[in-house]
Each structure stands twice: as C-alpha cells, then as structure tokens.
Amino acid sequence: MSTHLPDGYLISTDPARLDHEAVHRWLAEDSYWALGRAPEKHRRAVDSSLNFGVYEEGSGRQVAYARIVTDYATFAWLCDVFVDRPARGLGVGTALAAEIRDHLAGYGLRRIMLATRDAHGVYAKAGFAPLAKPASFMVHGEN
C-alpha cells in the first residue's frame, strides 16, 4: 500500500522546521478537538511528541501537521492531524498518514491508534481500520 505526496510538497520530522504559530492557530482556532488550546499546553505537547510537517518545496511554507505520542516499542497515538484549507483535497492528508505509518513500521509497534470524527476515508486509504473489539478499550476523561 503506497501513498505518495503530491508534487511540490515534502514531509519532515525536523522540529526546527515547524511553524509553531501556524500549527497552534490551526489547532486552537480551526480544529474541533483542540479549540482554545493554550499556547503553553500546545508547546508542551509538541515538545513531548514526534512531529511531522508537510511543506511546500519552493516557499517552505508549512501546509500540514501531525504528531505522534509513542514509547517507540509497543504503541503510538496519532493526533493533532491538520491540513491547511488551501492544501485540502490534494492527497496531502492521506500521504501524511501513510508516511507516519511507514516511519513507525521499523519500531515493531503493536498498534497505532487515532480518533477521528470526520476523516475515516483519509485514514482508511493509509490502512487504518475501525477497532475490531471496541468493547476491549476504555478511556478516562472525555468520552
């Protein structure tokens, strides 16, 4: 299963490339899951995660973001995935999810999980599927 980034874009895990202001604005003002997230909380989350950015090759402008919370041995949580509105519909989100899947494959993780309200099709193209046994999973906090 291969998903390629559209021409003119590149993916990087280099934290120095992240446009922290843009990413915080996307999440705190335009996502349904992180509305109102404080800048300090956002920065702490970024600093404690493996971060992926998608950038325009020419300008270097960041157009998408995702972060992974992981122990690099057994489990990873894919979260805060956001594609800037002008880059939506180009395959950037699907390619980003596939790149993350491929990047994490070498660690031998048992599972990579995520939650989404509206992007099931994007993640399905990268091989993600609904939980086979959702009754086995529990949550503490927002449900």
Side-chain angles (χ1 to χ4, degrees), residues 1-84:
M1 173 180 322
S2 176
T3 305
H4 300 287
L5 199 59
D7 289 341
Y9 295 94
L10 59 90
I11 295 176
S12 174
T13 58
D14 180 358
R17 290 194 74 157
L18 292 174
D19 183 340
H20 291 280
E21 289 81 24
V23 173
H24 178 258
R25 185 178 61 255
W26 292 337
L27 297 176
E29 298 176 10
D30 201 19
S31 74
Y32 63 81
W33 64 91
L35 287 176
R37 182 180 288 169
E40 312 80 48
K41 183 173 271 197
H42 170 72
R43 189 57 182 234
R44 198 166 65 240
V46 168
D47 289 347
S48 300
S49 301
L50 170 61
N51 300 279
F52 287 77
V54 180
Y55 306 89
E56 292 176 339
E57 284 183 342
S59 69
R61 186 178 78 83
Q62 187 168 354
V63 300
Y65 173 77
R67 69 185 182 92
I68 298 290
V69 180
T70 185
D71 61 8
Y72 295 100
T74 62
F75 179 81
W77 180 259
L78 170 56
C79 55
D80 286 346
V81 179
F82 194 92
V83 178
D84 195 15

